[in-house]
Amino acid sequence: MIERHGREAASKFLSELFWRTYWKGWLEQRPSVWADWRHACQMLHEAGAPAGYAAAIEGRTGIDAFDGWVRELCETGYLHNWARMQLASIWIFTLGLPWELGAEFTFAKLLDADPASNTLSWRWVAGLHTAGKAYLANAENINVRTGGRFRPDGLAMVADVPRGTEAPERSALRMPTDPSQRPALLLLTPEDLSLETEGPLQRLDVRRVVACRAHCQRPADIAAVADGLQRAAAHWRVGSVWLDDLDAVAALARESGCEQVVTGYAAVGPVRDSFRKMAQCEGVHFTEHRRAWDARAWPQCGKGYFAFAKHIAELLTAAGM
C-alpha cells in the first residue's frame, strides 16, 4: 500500500494497523486482563442479566443513536470506529451497564473482532486504560457527525469510571518455540492465515495443512480460514482438511509422521486459550511462528500509545517500508 499510494495517502490505514499492533502488544504483556474479563462475564451472567441489558443488546433503549448502531452492528457485523466509541460510552456511562458485557456483545457481533482491540478499547472508553481519561459521548457532537441523523437525549454528562478493575503490572513477553525443519503439520487459525508469505516458513517440510472448526467463532471466520487453507495447500502442494478440535490435530500429526505442529503465533485470546491443551498432547511438538513485525513492535507497547508511536518510523524502516 505504501509503495502504491505513499505514506501520506495510506496514513489512516496505517494508523489503524499501528493501533492494532499496540493493543496486541499491550495485552501480550498483561494477559491476565483477558482472563479477568472472561471471568467477569461468566460471573455477571451467573448473577443474572442486569436491568436494561436486554433492551441494550436488542436496540430498544430509546436512545436513537445507540439503538441505530446496535441494529447496524447486528445486521452487518460492522461499525465505524467512531461509532463503536459512542456506543461503548453510552453503554457504560448513560445506561450504567458493565463494560465487560458490552465488550462481550461487540466481540460476538463484529466480523473484525479482535481480542485485544475489542477488550482494551472498551477499557479505554471506560477510563480504565489510561488513568483519569474516559471517553464521554456528546449528544451535540453525535448530531453533527451524523449529519442530523441522530439526536440522542439524556446522555450522561459525567463519566463515572468503574472501580476495581485496574491493569496488573507489565510482565515479560512470552517466547514461542520456533518451528524446525522436521516434518510438519501446518495448523491455520484466524490469528494468522498467510503463513505461506513468511520467508522462514516457505521451505518447511509440510505434509498437510489443517484448521479447526472450534477456532471459528462466526461464519466470516470459516470463510477466511477456508481461503487460507486453499492458499497454503497450493503453496506447499499438499492436501488440506478441516478438523473438529486440537485432539484431532494431534492424532493426524502422529498418523502423518509429523514431528511438529506449526502454526502462527497465538496472541492472547480464544485461540491461545485452546492451545494450552495442545501443548500437553503426547508425542507432538508444538511450535509457533511470530512475525518479525510483532517481535520488534510488541516490546514498545508496554505503556501508552504515544510512547509506542515514537518508534513507528524505525519500525517501518526495519520492515523495509
Side-chain angles (χ1 to χ4, degrees):
M1 173 169 278
I2 294 176
E3 291 179 358
R4 182 173 181 179
H5 301 287
R7 284 193 187 184
E8 186 174 348
S11 61
K12 182 58 180 175
F13 176 76
L14 290 172
S15 176
E16 295 302 323
L17 292 182
F18 297 147
W19 269 104
R20 184 181 178 91
T21 293
Y22 169 70
W23 290 134
K24 297 290 263 192
W26 193 93
L27 190 59
E28 282 299 301
Q29 296 171 80
R30 296 170 179 85
S32 63
V33 169
W34 168 262
D36 290 346
W37 169 66
R38 296 285 288 252
H39 179 70
C41 288
Q42 180 182 345
M43 294 296 100
L44 285 165
H45 284 298
E46 289 180 0
Y53 174 73
I57 65 174
E58 294 168 10
R60 298 186 289 101
T61 67
I63 301 172
D64 60 359
F66 183 91
D67 293 346
W69 286 322
V70 166
R71 288 193 296 270
E72 182 179 347
L73 174 60
C74 292
E75 291 169 5
T76 69
Y78 179 77
L79 278 182
H80 187 280
N81 283 344
W82 178 81
R84 299 182 195 194
M85 291 166 56
Q86 314 313 306
L87 184 146
S89 181
I90 295 170
W91 177 290
I92 297 166
F93 301 123
T94 298
L95 301 178
L97 292 169
W99 74 267
E100 294 93 341
L101 293 182
E104 180 186 53
F105 174 60
T106 54
F107 188 66
K109 297 296 183 181
L110 286 166
L111 295 177
D112 63 346
D114 173 77
S117 296
N118 185 73
T119 308
L120 299 181
S121 292
W122 274 85
R123 283 177 51 86
W124 180 81
V125 168
L128 300 172
H129 186 75
T130 303
K133 292 185 179 180
Y135 183 84
L136 192 61
N138 178 278
E140 182 178 355
N141 186 36
I142 291 174
N143 180 250
V144 172
R145 289 286 297 269
T146 61
R149 177 188 174 197
F150 295 128
R151 296 178 179 273
D153 293 323
L155 299 191
M157 303 300 289
V158 177
D160 185 11
V161 177
R163 287 10 179 228
T165 50
E166 291 78 12
E169 292 296 319
R170 181 179 179 182
S171 60
L173 287 164
R174 182 176 70 91
M175 297 302 295
T177 301
D178 293 326
S180 67
Q181 292 304 311
R182 292 179 291 181
L185 191 73
L186 190 75
L187 171 63
L188 292 187
T189 76
E191 284 293 313
D192 193 330
L193 294 172
S194 300
L195 293 176
E196 77 281 357
T197 67
E198 283 292 273
L201 300 183
Q202 289 179 349
R203 296 184 179 276
L204 275 181
D205 180 10
V206 174
R207 304 291 176 87
R208 202 83 171 269
V209 181
V210 303
C212 282
R213 293 184 181 89
H215 290 151
C216 296
Q217 307 291 314
R218 51 191 68 81
D221 291 342
I222 295 175
V225 173
D227 176 72
L229 281 175
Q230 185 176 33
R231 286 184 283 105
H235 174 83
W236 278 285
R237 299 180 181 180
V238 296
S240 63
V241 62
W242 281 94
L243 299 172
D244 289 331
D245 53 33
L246 290 175
D247 286 335
V249 171
L252 181 59
R254 289 190 289 265
E255 293 168 10
S256 304
C258 295
E259 299 176 34
Q260 62 177 334
V261 172
V262 177
T263 189
Y265 182 86
V268 173
V271 174
R272 165 85 69 83
D273 292 345
S274 75
F275 279 6
R276 291 193 178 93
K277 180 180 179 181
M278 185 69 179
Q280 301 170 2
C281 291
E282 185 177 351
V284 178
H285 192 54
F286 183 61
T287 64
E288 298 169 79
H289 173 72
R290 182 161 63 195
R291 290 178 176 265
W293 172 269
D294 296 331
R296 296 190 193 103
W298 286 352
Q300 314 303 332
C301 299
K303 298 180 180 179
Y305 177 80
F306 294 106
F308 162 69
K310 294 177 181 178
H311 299 276
I312 287 176
E314 64 190 65
L315 289 170
L316 289 173
T317 299
M321 296 187 284

